[in-house]
Amino acid sequence: VDRFDIAIIGAGTAGIAAAQTAAALGARPVLIERRRIGGECTWSGCVPSKALIEAARRRRHADQAPEFGIRVGEVSVDFPAVMARVREIVERIAGFEDAGHQEAMGIAVRRGDAVIEGPSRLTVDGAPLEAGKIIICTGSHPAAPPIEGLADTPHLDNENLFEITELPRRLLILGAGTIGVEMAQAFRRLGSEVDVVDAMATVLEREDPDISAIAGRILEEEGIRFTLGASVESVSSHQGRPRMTLSVQGERRTLDGDALLVAAGRRPRIAGLGLEQIGVATDQRGVTIDDRCRTSVPGIYAAGDVTGLHPYTHAACYRVIPWVTFMDPEVGHLGLTEPEARHAYRDTEVATLPFTAIDRAVIQGSVRGLIKVITRGKPIIGTRYGGGQIIGAHVIGPGAGDLLHEFAIAMQSRSFTGRLAQTVHAYPTMATGVQQAVAQLFPLGRAVAGDLRLSLDPYSAGSSSKDSELMQ
Ligand SMILES: Cc1cc2nc3c(=O)[nH]c(=O)nc-3n(C[C@H](O)[C@H](O)[C@H](O)COP(=O)(O)OP(=O)(O)OC[C@H]3O[C@@H](n4cnc5c(N)ncnc54)[C@H](O)[C@@H]3O)c2cc1C
């Protein structure tokens, strides 16, 4: 029987990170994968979706070029070529993580289906293997909601979406969360008519309400139709095309399309792993873990999407986890939203800054957006108040995903907001927006940056900050 220090089931983001860390620390890990090394992020998640979004962004920029005085002639989309590039990018990135790369780092790779037989015993396609510790990194799969007729109606999800070669003329999308929104905008920009349906009352419902309201408006302006607060009664196939029957506030509607994309959540991939037999506790989110990734069985750990905690490729057990929705402009999320913060803390303060106030955004011609900073806990310095600490930051606007990380560093290091406000930011960068937003928490900052609470920008939410006297 082959013996290893650690057996890692699943060679996705979590499994590869675990195996590489184990090997770097001098352990002998084995990485077991039934399908493709790289997992969902590389093959059917982050990488192909962002490559498709990039193509769509180029199309949009070409369409907008005349606004900048640039003539580009007629713009058209060669969809098979777009998808060929998406697949080429996937292959290129997969090439950096294949079995040869893992083995070169001291990781044994086994192909096949892993089943856990006991705390240190597994089989891979029936062949036994022993390991001191086991880490479950089997990821998640798209959830198919229990809608009448859905199982019998051919539809797309992220596992087959990036294999299509023909642009759907009319695309129906079930789900207005991150994946639904990202794909809705990409396909709309590439030329599809897009309808998005969701039971929730807003798009991106996990975002701060001001941010999701702006996101919804931007997407509608691009021609995406949303039917929100809808309950899908059935899905059926008519001459090979999907039809959705909905009920919206008691009224029945039907939507017809050429293709249906289901982006309605994720389920942990735990079937057939043997978890029940050996007593590894799970709930509807996935494998239950503590803050050190330990499951209920000693020696067995779990990480990544299979835990259902933070379904992002970079997430493990951190306090400060930013996430980004790659619509254009991007949406960046960090920590608490304003309603969550106000519910949790009485001393919550909020500052906002519309992108119209950022010179770089004006220069680039992309001023739609908002920076929102949420703080609490002002220290008393002498007889005066200083700035509080960041407990949430939310940005919709160009480069939001990158801007967010200034707030993440401040939050991680528990810095006071005055530190950000005092840090000189090079002009004209988008990052000056971070400084300008935080400065809104201080009278001196507002005097220098302009009092943006007076902003009348139609997209912006008015600032509701109270004053901190010191930029501390
Ligand atoms: C369309 C889409 C876009 C996304 N975009 C982003 C993004 O922009 N940024 C971001 O951070 N996240 C994004 N995500 C989420 C990201 O893809 C996941 O968080 C990440 O892939 C999770 O990694 P993981 O290792 O937990 O699981 P996975 O990557 O799913 O890996 C699990 C692996 O385990 C294998 N496996 C399962 N069971 C067994 C078994 N019994 N035996 C052997 N092998 C097994 C599977 O074959 C798979 O390869 C996106 C997801 C989707 C669907």
Side-chain angles (χ1 to χ4, degrees), residues 9-15 32-36 38-41 44-46 49-50 112-114 137-140 158 162 179 182 266 269 273 303-306 311-314 324 326:
I9 308 176
T13 313
I32 307 162
E33 173 56 51
R34 60 151 69 127
R35 211 167 157 226
R36 297 180 291 200
E40 176 136 55
C41 181
S44 53
C46 332
S49 63
K50 267 78 259 182
D113 245 305
C137 302
T138 51
S140 61
N158 70 293
F162 303 107
I179 296 172
E182 287 182 356
R266 314 280 309 167
R269 208 183 275 120
L273 265 177
D305 277 16
V306 74
Y312 303 101
T313 211
H314 47 271
V324 176
F326 293 89

mmCIF file of all heavy atoms in Angstrom, residues 9-15 32-36 38-41 44-46 49-50 112-114 137-140 158 162 179 182 266 269 273 303-306 311-314 324 326, ligand 1:
data_model
loop_
_atom_site.group_PDB
_atom_site.id
_atom_site.type_symbol
_atom_site.label_atom_id
_atom_site.label_comp_id
_atom_site.label_asym_id
_atom_site.label_seq_id
_atom_site.Cartn_x
_atom_site.Cartn_y
_atom_site.Cartn_z
ATOM 1 N N ILE A 9 -7.740 15.389 -1.528
ATOM 2 C CA ILE A 9 -8.721 14.927 -2.524
ATOM 3 C C ILE A 9 -9.226 16.138 -3.296
ATOM 4 O O ILE A 9 -9.891 17.007 -2.729
ATOM 5 C CB ILE A 9 -9.904 14.201 -1.863
ATOM 6 C CG1 ILE A 9 -9.396 13.105 -0.935
ATOM 7 C CG2 ILE A 9 -10.826 13.628 -2.935
ATOM 8 C CD1 ILE A 9 -10.514 12.408 -0.169
ATOM 9 N N GLY A 10 -8.924 16.203 -4.585
ATOM 10 C CA GLY A 10 -9.369 17.308 -5.419
ATOM 11 C C GLY A 10 -8.227 18.246 -5.735
ATOM 12 O O GLY A 10 -7.599 18.807 -4.827
ATOM 13 N N ALA A 11 -7.926 18.387 -7.037
ATOM 14 C CA ALA A 11 -6.801 19.242 -7.447
ATOM 15 C C ALA A 11 -7.316 20.542 -8.045
ATOM 16 O O ALA A 11 -6.929 20.956 -9.132
ATOM 17 C CB ALA A 11 -5.900 18.509 -8.428
ATOM 18 N N GLY A 12 -8.232 21.192 -7.318
ATOM 19 C CA GLY A 12 -8.649 22.555 -7.680
ATOM 20 C C GLY A 12 -7.769 23.537 -6.933
ATOM 21 O O GLY A 12 -6.690 23.191 -6.440
ATOM 22 N N THR A 13 -8.268 24.777 -6.821
ATOM 23 C CA THR A 13 -7.480 25.821 -6.164
ATOM 24 C C THR A 13 -7.079 25.423 -4.752
ATOM 25 O O THR A 13 -5.909 25.555 -4.366
ATOM 26 C CB THR A 13 -8.318 27.116 -6.078
ATOM 27 O OG1 THR A 13 -8.910 27.348 -7.343
ATOM 28 C CG2 THR A 13 -7.477 28.283 -5.660
ATOM 29 N N ALA A 14 -8.045 24.932 -3.983
ATOM 30 C CA ALA A 14 -7.771 24.607 -2.581
ATOM 31 C C ALA A 14 -6.796 23.439 -2.488
ATOM 32 O O ALA A 14 -5.832 23.477 -1.700
ATOM 33 C CB ALA A 14 -9.075 24.276 -1.857
ATOM 34 N N GLY A 15 -7.028 22.393 -3.282
ATOM 35 C CA GLY A 15 -6.188 21.202 -3.219
ATOM 36 C C GLY A 15 -4.755 21.492 -3.644
ATOM 37 O O GLY A 15 -3.799 21.049 -3.003
ATOM 38 N N ILE A 32 -5.028 13.874 -5.319
ATOM 39 C CA ILE A 32 -5.871 12.926 -6.058
ATOM 40 C C ILE A 32 -6.917 13.704 -6.867
ATOM 41 O O ILE A 32 -7.636 14.536 -6.313
ATOM 42 C CB ILE A 32 -6.600 11.979 -5.086
ATOM 43 C CG1 ILE A 32 -5.580 11.327 -4.142
ATOM 44 C CG2 ILE A 32 -7.388 10.920 -5.863
ATOM 45 C CD1 ILE A 32 -6.213 10.741 -2.889
ATOM 46 N N GLU A 33 -6.998 13.441 -8.159
ATOM 47 C CA GLU A 33 -7.945 14.185 -9.000
ATOM 48 C C GLU A 33 -8.642 13.230 -9.967
ATOM 49 O O GLU A 33 -8.005 12.454 -10.647
ATOM 50 C CB GLU A 33 -7.211 15.295 -9.776
ATOM 51 C CG GLU A 33 -8.052 16.029 -10.806
ATOM 52 C CD GLU A 33 -9.324 16.667 -10.241
ATOM 53 O OE1 GLU A 33 -9.235 17.398 -9.244
ATOM 54 O OE2 GLU A 33 -10.424 16.419 -10.809
ATOM 55 N N ARG A 34 -9.966 13.336 -9.997
ATOM 56 C CA ARG A 34 -10.734 12.436 -10.867
ATOM 57 C C ARG A 34 -10.849 12.990 -12.292
ATOM 58 O O ARG A 34 -11.084 12.237 -13.221
ATOM 59 C CB ARG A 34 -12.138 12.225 -10.302
ATOM 60 C CG ARG A 34 -12.970 13.465 -10.149
ATOM 61 C CD ARG A 34 -14.464 13.165 -10.279
ATOM 62 N NE ARG A 34 -14.977 12.396 -9.158
ATOM 63 C CZ ARG A 34 -16.036 12.761 -8.415
ATOM 64 N NH1 ARG A 34 -16.652 13.906 -8.670
ATOM 65 N NH2 ARG A 34 -16.455 11.996 -7.438
ATOM 66 N N ARG A 35 -10.681 14.312 -12.444
ATOM 67 C CA ARG A 35 -10.955 14.891 -13.749
ATOM 68 C C ARG A 35 -9.802 15.719 -14.281
ATOM 69 O O ARG A 35 -8.918 15.196 -14.925
ATOM 70 C CB ARG A 35 -12.244 15.720 -13.634
ATOM 71 C CG ARG A 35 -13.002 15.747 -14.904
ATOM 72 C CD ARG A 35 -14.405 16.266 -14.773
ATOM 73 N NE ARG A 35 -14.814 16.738 -16.096
ATOM 74 C CZ ARG A 35 -15.412 17.859 -16.331
ATOM 75 N NH1 ARG A 35 -15.719 18.666 -15.331
ATOM 76 N NH2 ARG A 35 -15.732 18.209 -17.563
ATOM 77 N N ARG A 36 -9.794 17.013 -13.963
ATOM 78 C CA ARG A 36 -8.767 17.879 -14.553
ATOM 79 C C ARG A 36 -8.048 18.654 -13.464
ATOM 80 O O ARG A 36 -8.696 19.308 -12.642
ATOM 81 C CB ARG A 36 -9.422 18.865 -15.525
ATOM 82 C CG ARG A 36 -10.094 18.171 -16.688
ATOM 83 C CD ARG A 36 -10.732 19.157 -17.631
ATOM 84 N NE ARG A 36 -11.887 19.830 -17.041
ATOM 85 C CZ ARG A 36 -12.834 20.441 -17.746
ATOM 86 N NH1 ARG A 36 -12.755 20.487 -19.068
ATOM 87 N NH2 ARG A 36 -13.843 21.028 -17.146
ATOM 88 N N GLY A 38 -6.448 21.601 -11.738
ATOM 89 C CA GLY A 38 -6.785 23.008 -11.912
ATOM 90 C C GLY A 38 -8.212 23.280 -11.440
ATOM 91 O O GLY A 38 -8.541 24.366 -11.004
ATOM 92 N N GLY A 39 -9.062 22.241 -11.558
ATOM 93 C CA GLY A 39 -10.425 22.338 -11.014
ATOM 94 C C GLY A 39 -11.265 23.377 -11.712
ATOM 95 O O GLY A 39 -11.007 23.793 -12.846
ATOM 96 N N GLU A 40 -12.274 23.810 -10.994
ATOM 97 C CA GLU A 40 -13.282 24.678 -11.566
ATOM 98 C C GLU A 40 -12.749 26.047 -11.979
ATOM 99 O O GLU A 40 -13.091 26.562 -13.037
ATOM 100 C CB GLU A 40 -14.346 24.889 -10.502
ATOM 101 C CG GLU A 40 -15.399 25.854 -10.930
ATOM 102 C CD GLU A 40 -16.744 25.317 -10.573
ATOM 103 O OE1 GLU A 40 -16.949 25.003 -9.391
ATOM 104 O OE2 GLU A 40 -17.567 25.191 -11.475
ATOM 105 N N CYS A 41 -11.924 26.653 -11.125
ATOM 106 C CA CYS A 41 -11.470 28.018 -11.398
ATOM 107 C C CYS A 41 -10.787 28.065 -12.765
ATOM 108 O O CYS A 41 -11.099 28.921 -13.597
ATOM 109 C CB CYS A 41 -10.515 28.463 -10.288
ATOM 110 S SG CYS A 41 -9.923 30.138 -10.495
ATOM 111 N N SER A 44 -13.627 25.953 -15.697
ATOM 112 C CA SER A 44 -15.015 26.354 -15.956
ATOM 113 C C SER A 44 -15.489 27.459 -15.028
ATOM 114 O O SER A 44 -16.690 27.637 -14.842
ATOM 115 C CB SER A 44 -15.934 25.125 -15.839
ATOM 116 O OG SER A 44 -15.716 24.487 -14.604
ATOM 117 N N GLY A 45 -14.559 28.195 -14.428
ATOM 118 C CA GLY A 45 -14.939 29.254 -13.489
ATOM 119 C C GLY A 45 -14.236 30.559 -13.809
ATOM 120 O O GLY A 45 -14.445 31.152 -14.878
ATOM 121 N N CYS A 46 -13.372 30.982 -12.894
ATOM 122 C CA CYS A 46 -12.729 32.300 -13.001
ATOM 123 C C CYS A 46 -12.083 32.537 -14.368
ATOM 124 O O CYS A 46 -12.314 33.576 -14.992
ATOM 125 C CB CYS A 46 -11.631 32.481 -11.964
ATOM 126 S SG CYS A 46 -11.799 31.561 -10.443
ATOM 127 N N SER A 49 -14.469 32.602 -17.562
ATOM 128 C CA SER A 49 -15.450 33.681 -17.444
ATOM 129 C C SER A 49 -14.768 35.039 -17.606
ATOM 130 O O SER A 49 -15.281 35.925 -18.293
ATOM 131 C CB SER A 49 -16.236 33.593 -16.132
ATOM 132 O OG SER A 49 -15.403 33.741 -15.014
ATOM 133 N N LYS A 50 -13.588 35.187 -16.999
ATOM 134 C CA LYS A 50 -12.909 36.483 -17.127
ATOM 135 C C LYS A 50 -12.363 36.691 -18.540
ATOM 136 O O LYS A 50 -12.291 37.819 -19.034
ATOM 137 C CB LYS A 50 -11.800 36.610 -16.093
ATOM 138 C CG LYS A 50 -12.240 37.293 -14.820
ATOM 139 C CD LYS A 50 -13.035 36.458 -13.860
ATOM 140 C CE LYS A 50 -14.512 36.666 -13.849
ATOM 141 N NZ LYS A 50 -15.197 35.837 -12.853
ATOM 142 N N GLY A 112 -8.067 9.535 -10.436
ATOM 143 C CA GLY A 112 -9.184 8.642 -10.155
ATOM 144 C C GLY A 112 -10.092 9.202 -9.088
ATOM 145 O O GLY A 112 -9.898 10.307 -8.593
ATOM 146 N N ASP A 113 -11.092 8.397 -8.753
ATOM 147 C CA ASP A 113 -12.125 8.757 -7.796
ATOM 148 C C ASP A 113 -11.690 8.367 -6.395
ATOM 149 O O ASP A 113 -11.457 7.192 -6.148
ATOM 150 C CB ASP A 113 -13.372 7.921 -8.131
ATOM 151 C CG ASP A 113 -14.499 8.791 -8.570
ATOM 152 O OD1 ASP A 113 -14.839 9.705 -7.809
ATOM 153 O OD2 ASP A 113 -15.012 8.542 -9.666
ATOM 154 N N ALA A 114 -11.610 9.331 -5.497
ATOM 155 C CA ALA A 114 -11.198 8.996 -4.131
ATOM 156 C C ALA A 114 -12.413 8.707 -3.257
ATOM 157 O O ALA A 114 -13.433 9.400 -3.347
ATOM 158 C CB ALA A 114 -10.403 10.152 -3.537
ATOM 159 N N CYS A 137 -10.935 18.528 -0.581
ATOM 160 C CA CYS A 137 -10.984 19.773 -1.376
ATOM 161 C C CYS A 137 -11.750 19.497 -2.663
ATOM 162 O O CYS A 137 -11.265 19.775 -3.763
ATOM 163 C CB CYS A 137 -9.574 20.244 -1.733
ATOM 164 S SG CYS A 137 -8.502 20.540 -0.334
ATOM 165 N N THR A 138 -12.942 18.925 -2.533
ATOM 166 C CA THR A 138 -13.651 18.428 -3.719
ATOM 167 C C THR A 138 -14.550 19.470 -4.376
ATOM 168 O O THR A 138 -15.226 19.174 -5.354
ATOM 169 C CB THR A 138 -14.476 17.179 -3.358
ATOM 170 O OG1 THR A 138 -15.272 17.496 -2.211
ATOM 171 C CG2 THR A 138 -13.578 16.001 -3.030
ATOM 172 N N GLY A 139 -14.590 20.682 -3.822
ATOM 173 C CA GLY A 139 -15.251 21.784 -4.518
ATOM 174 C C GLY A 139 -16.771 21.719 -4.499
ATOM 175 O O GLY A 139 -17.393 21.095 -3.628
ATOM 176 N N SER A 140 -17.370 22.394 -5.480
ATOM 177 C CA SER A 140 -18.832 22.475 -5.552
ATOM 178 C C SER A 140 -19.258 22.305 -7.000
ATOM 179 O O SER A 140 -18.439 22.359 -7.910
ATOM 180 C CB SER A 140 -19.313 23.834 -5.028
ATOM 181 O OG SER A 140 -18.779 24.881 -5.819
ATOM 182 N N ASN A 158 -22.139 26.573 -15.753
ATOM 183 C CA ASN A 158 -20.745 26.960 -16.013
ATOM 184 C C ASN A 158 -19.914 25.794 -16.537
ATOM 185 O O ASN A 158 -18.840 25.997 -17.080
ATOM 186 C CB ASN A 158 -20.114 27.546 -14.747
ATOM 187 C CG ASN A 158 -19.882 26.509 -13.670
ATOM 188 O OD1 ASN A 158 -20.833 25.960 -13.116
ATOM 189 N ND2 ASN A 158 -18.631 26.218 -13.389
ATOM 190 N N PHE A 162 -18.788 27.313 -21.539
ATOM 191 C CA PHE A 162 -17.615 27.800 -22.265
ATOM 192 C C PHE A 162 -17.238 26.886 -23.434
ATOM 193 O O PHE A 162 -16.228 27.089 -24.081
ATOM 194 C CB PHE A 162 -16.451 28.020 -21.286
ATOM 195 C CG PHE A 162 -16.834 28.978 -20.190
ATOM 196 C CD1 PHE A 162 -17.071 28.529 -18.893
ATOM 197 C CD2 PHE A 162 -17.018 30.317 -20.475
ATOM 198 C CE1 PHE A 162 -17.477 29.406 -17.898
ATOM 199 C CE2 PHE A 162 -17.420 31.208 -19.490
ATOM 200 C CZ PHE A 162 -17.653 30.750 -18.193
ATOM 201 N N ILE A 179 -22.363 35.238 -10.883
ATOM 202 C CA ILE A 179 -22.147 34.560 -12.162
ATOM 203 C C ILE A 179 -23.207 34.999 -13.178
ATOM 204 O O ILE A 179 -22.899 35.296 -14.333
ATOM 205 C CB ILE A 179 -22.151 33.026 -11.968
ATOM 206 C CG1 ILE A 179 -20.974 32.616 -11.075
ATOM 207 C CG2 ILE A 179 -22.085 32.296 -13.308
ATOM 208 C CD1 ILE A 179 -20.983 31.150 -10.655
ATOM 209 N N GLU A 182 -22.378 38.624 -14.327
ATOM 210 C CA GLU A 182 -21.168 38.691 -15.173
ATOM 211 C C GLU A 182 -21.468 38.162 -16.572
ATOM 212 O O GLU A 182 -21.086 38.767 -17.583
ATOM 213 C CB GLU A 182 -20.033 37.866 -14.549
ATOM 214 C CG GLU A 182 -19.414 38.492 -13.314
ATOM 215 C CD GLU A 182 -18.251 37.669 -12.748
ATOM 216 O OE1 GLU A 182 -17.950 36.563 -13.259
ATOM 217 O OE2 GLU A 182 -17.638 38.132 -11.779
ATOM 218 N N ARG A 266 -24.665 27.148 -5.756
ATOM 219 C CA ARG A 266 -23.715 26.038 -5.801
ATOM 220 C C ARG A 266 -24.056 25.026 -4.716
ATOM 221 O O ARG A 266 -24.662 25.374 -3.707
ATOM 222 C CB ARG A 266 -22.292 26.559 -5.538
ATOM 223 C CG ARG A 266 -21.908 27.802 -6.295
ATOM 224 C CD ARG A 266 -21.516 27.559 -7.710
ATOM 225 N NE ARG A 266 -20.523 26.522 -7.859
ATOM 226 C CZ ARG A 266 -20.215 25.970 -9.034
ATOM 227 N NH1 ARG A 266 -20.847 26.362 -10.135
ATOM 228 N NH2 ARG A 266 -19.303 25.033 -9.107
ATOM 229 N N ARG A 269 -19.596 19.332 -3.411
ATOM 230 C CA ARG A 269 -19.425 18.049 -4.112
ATOM 231 C C ARG A 269 -18.945 17.015 -3.092
ATOM 232 O O ARG A 269 -17.758 16.869 -2.850
ATOM 233 C CB ARG A 269 -18.401 18.228 -5.238
ATOM 234 C CG ARG A 269 -18.620 17.281 -6.399
ATOM 235 C CD ARG A 269 -17.557 17.421 -7.465
ATOM 236 N NE ARG A 269 -17.780 18.469 -8.440
ATOM 237 C CZ ARG A 269 -16.948 19.484 -8.642
ATOM 238 N NH1 ARG A 269 -15.856 19.618 -7.924
ATOM 239 N NH2 ARG A 269 -17.202 20.370 -9.576
ATOM 240 N N LEU A 273 -18.184 10.249 -1.400
ATOM 241 C CA LEU A 273 -16.853 10.370 -0.778
ATOM 242 C C LEU A 273 -16.699 9.472 0.445
ATOM 243 O O LEU A 273 -15.596 9.314 0.957
ATOM 244 C CB LEU A 273 -16.642 11.816 -0.312
ATOM 245 C CG LEU A 273 -15.922 12.780 -1.219
ATOM 246 C CD1 LEU A 273 -15.899 14.161 -0.566
ATOM 247 C CD2 LEU A 273 -14.487 12.319 -1.479
ATOM 248 N N ALA A 303 -11.236 22.164 2.910
ATOM 249 C CA ALA A 303 -10.981 23.564 2.526
ATOM 250 C C ALA A 303 -11.593 23.826 1.162
ATOM 251 O O ALA A 303 -11.804 22.906 0.367
ATOM 252 C CB ALA A 303 -9.479 23.834 2.487
ATOM 253 N N GLY A 304 -11.856 25.101 0.909
ATOM 254 C CA GLY A 304 -12.367 25.506 -0.408
ATOM 255 C C GLY A 304 -13.890 25.449 -0.472
ATOM 256 O O GLY A 304 -14.581 25.433 0.545
ATOM 257 N N ASP A 305 -14.402 25.393 -1.692
ATOM 258 C CA ASP A 305 -15.849 25.470 -1.923
ATOM 259 C C ASP A 305 -16.631 24.372 -1.217
ATOM 260 O O ASP A 305 -17.812 24.542 -0.925
ATOM 261 C CB ASP A 305 -16.153 25.356 -3.421
ATOM 262 C CG ASP A 305 -16.013 26.686 -4.145
ATOM 263 O OD1 ASP A 305 -15.394 27.604 -3.574
ATOM 264 O OD2 ASP A 305 -16.525 26.799 -5.280
ATOM 265 N N VAL A 306 -15.996 23.219 -0.960
ATOM 266 C CA VAL A 306 -16.730 22.099 -0.359
ATOM 267 C C VAL A 306 -17.224 22.452 1.044
ATOM 268 O O VAL A 306 -18.161 21.847 1.551
ATOM 269 C CB VAL A 306 -15.866 20.814 -0.357
ATOM 270 C CG1 VAL A 306 -14.771 20.882 0.704
ATOM 271 C CG2 VAL A 306 -16.734 19.575 -0.183
ATOM 272 N N PRO A 311 -17.126 30.990 -1.343
ATOM 273 C CA PRO A 311 -16.868 30.291 -2.608
ATOM 274 C C PRO A 311 -15.998 31.107 -3.559
ATOM 275 O O PRO A 311 -16.397 31.469 -4.646
ATOM 276 C CB PRO A 311 -18.266 30.075 -3.172
ATOM 277 C CG PRO A 311 -19.051 31.227 -2.651
ATOM 278 C CD PRO A 311 -18.455 31.582 -1.313
ATOM 279 N N TYR A 312 -14.809 31.436 -3.126
ATOM 280 C CA TYR A 312 -13.883 32.174 -3.984
ATOM 281 C C TYR A 312 -12.571 31.447 -3.995
ATOM 282 O O TYR A 312 -12.176 30.811 -3.034
ATOM 283 C CB TYR A 312 -13.668 33.617 -3.491
ATOM 284 C CG TYR A 312 -14.968 34.320 -3.418
ATOM 285 C CD1 TYR A 312 -15.612 34.482 -2.225
ATOM 286 C CD2 TYR A 312 -15.604 34.717 -4.598
ATOM 287 C CE1 TYR A 312 -16.861 35.058 -2.164
ATOM 288 C CE2 TYR A 312 -16.852 35.294 -4.544
ATOM 289 C CZ TYR A 312 -17.482 35.459 -3.332
ATOM 290 O OH TYR A 312 -18.699 36.013 -3.292
ATOM 291 N N THR A 313 -11.879 31.642 -5.083
ATOM 292 C CA THR A 313 -10.673 30.866 -5.290
ATOM 293 C C THR A 313 -9.593 31.209 -4.261
ATOM 294 O O THR A 313 -8.764 30.386 -3.918
ATOM 295 C CB THR A 313 -10.241 31.036 -6.766
ATOM 296 O OG1 THR A 313 -9.597 29.856 -7.181
ATOM 297 C CG2 THR A 313 -9.404 32.246 -7.014
ATOM 298 N N HIS A 314 -9.612 32.416 -3.707
ATOM 299 C CA HIS A 314 -8.552 32.842 -2.786
ATOM 300 C C HIS A 314 -8.923 32.645 -1.315
ATOM 301 O O HIS A 314 -8.168 33.020 -0.444
ATOM 302 C CB HIS A 314 -8.252 34.325 -3.026
ATOM 303 C CG HIS A 314 -9.504 35.148 -3.107
ATOM 304 N ND1 HIS A 314 -10.164 35.360 -4.292
ATOM 305 C CD2 HIS A 314 -10.232 35.744 -2.156
ATOM 306 C CE1 HIS A 314 -11.247 36.086 -4.054
ATOM 307 N NE2 HIS A 314 -11.309 36.330 -2.773
ATOM 308 N N VAL A 324 -14.909 40.162 -5.632
ATOM 309 C CA VAL A 324 -15.160 41.073 -6.747
ATOM 310 C C VAL A 324 -16.124 40.427 -7.726
ATOM 311 O O VAL A 324 -16.001 39.246 -8.037
ATOM 312 C CB VAL A 324 -13.841 41.412 -7.473
ATOM 313 C CG1 VAL A 324 -14.107 42.288 -8.697
ATOM 314 C CG2 VAL A 324 -12.874 42.113 -6.529
ATOM 315 N N PHE A 326 -17.024 40.692 -11.523
ATOM 316 C CA PHE A 326 -16.323 41.266 -12.671
ATOM 317 C C PHE A 326 -17.285 41.727 -13.748
ATOM 318 O O PHE A 326 -17.105 41.436 -14.924
ATOM 319 C CB PHE A 326 -15.290 40.271 -13.203
ATOM 320 C CG PHE A 326 -14.168 40.059 -12.223
ATOM 321 C CD1 PHE A 326 -14.249 39.078 -11.253
ATOM 322 C CD2 PHE A 326 -13.046 40.878 -12.234
ATOM 323 C CE1 PHE A 326 -13.224 38.890 -10.329
ATOM 324 C CE2 PHE A 326 -12.026 40.702 -11.307
ATOM 325 C CZ PHE A 326 -12.124 39.705 -10.357
HETATM 326 C C1 LIG B 1 -18.499 30.872 -13.619
HETATM 327 C C2 LIG B 1 -17.650 31.025 -12.369
HETATM 328 C C3 LIG B 1 -16.820 32.118 -12.220
HETATM 329 C C4 LIG B 1 -16.015 32.260 -11.099
HETATM 330 N N1 LIG B 1 -15.233 33.365 -10.997
HETATM 331 C C5 LIG B 1 -14.472 33.539 -9.894
HETATM 332 C C6 LIG B 1 -13.623 34.684 -9.772
HETATM 333 O O1 LIG B 1 -13.552 35.524 -10.670
HETATM 334 N N2 LIG B 1 -12.882 34.820 -8.653
HETATM 335 C C7 LIG B 1 -12.934 33.884 -7.636
HETATM 336 O O2 LIG B 1 -12.258 34.056 -6.641
HETATM 337 N N3 LIG B 1 -13.707 32.794 -7.730
HETATM 338 C C8 LIG B 1 -14.479 32.595 -8.830
HETATM 339 N N4 LIG B 1 -15.258 31.478 -8.929
HETATM 340 C C9 LIG B 1 -15.224 30.484 -7.824
HETATM 341 C C10 LIG B 1 -14.006 29.540 -7.941
HETATM 342 O O3 LIG B 1 -14.026 28.899 -9.192
HETATM 343 C C11 LIG B 1 -14.051 28.514 -6.816
HETATM 344 O O4 LIG B 1 -14.141 29.182 -5.580
HETATM 345 C C12 LIG B 1 -12.821 27.613 -6.770
HETATM 346 O O5 LIG B 1 -12.683 26.941 -7.998
HETATM 347 C C13 LIG B 1 -12.968 26.592 -5.645
HETATM 348 O O6 LIG B 1 -11.841 25.753 -5.600
HETATM 349 P P1 LIG B 1 -11.893 24.356 -4.879
HETATM 350 O O7 LIG B 1 -10.487 23.839 -4.901
HETATM 351 O O8 LIG B 1 -12.600 24.441 -3.603
HETATM 352 O O9 LIG B 1 -12.824 23.420 -5.804
HETATM 353 P P2 LIG B 1 -12.692 22.978 -7.372
HETATM 354 O O10 LIG B 1 -11.922 23.960 -8.154
HETATM 355 O O11 LIG B 1 -14.092 22.663 -7.803
HETATM 356 O O12 LIG B 1 -11.854 21.658 -7.318
HETATM 357 C C14 LIG B 1 -12.353 20.445 -6.815
HETATM 358 C C15 LIG B 1 -11.703 19.302 -7.571
HETATM 359 O O13 LIG B 1 -11.983 18.075 -6.867
HETATM 360 C C16 LIG B 1 -12.172 17.036 -7.814
HETATM 361 N N5 LIG B 1 -12.928 15.976 -7.124
HETATM 362 C C17 LIG B 1 -14.163 16.064 -6.577
HETATM 363 N N6 LIG B 1 -14.496 14.922 -5.973
HETATM 364 C C18 LIG B 1 -13.449 14.064 -6.142
HETATM 365 C C19 LIG B 1 -13.197 12.728 -5.732
HETATM 366 N N7 LIG B 1 -14.077 12.038 -5.021
HETATM 367 N N8 LIG B 1 -12.033 12.177 -6.109
HETATM 368 C C20 LIG B 1 -11.119 12.869 -6.822
HETATM 369 N N9 LIG B 1 -11.298 14.139 -7.221
HETATM 370 C C21 LIG B 1 -12.456 14.739 -6.887
HETATM 371 C C22 LIG B 1 -12.938 17.729 -8.924
HETATM 372 O O14 LIG B 1 -12.828 17.014 -10.137
HETATM 373 C C23 LIG B 1 -12.265 19.106 -8.980
HETATM 374 O O15 LIG B 1 -11.211 19.156 -9.912
HETATM 375 C C24 LIG B 1 -16.059 31.285 -10.059
HETATM 376 C C25 LIG B 1 -16.892 30.168 -10.185
HETATM 377 C C26 LIG B 1 -17.675 30.031 -11.323
HETATM 378 C C27 LIG B 1 -18.566 28.821 -11.443
#
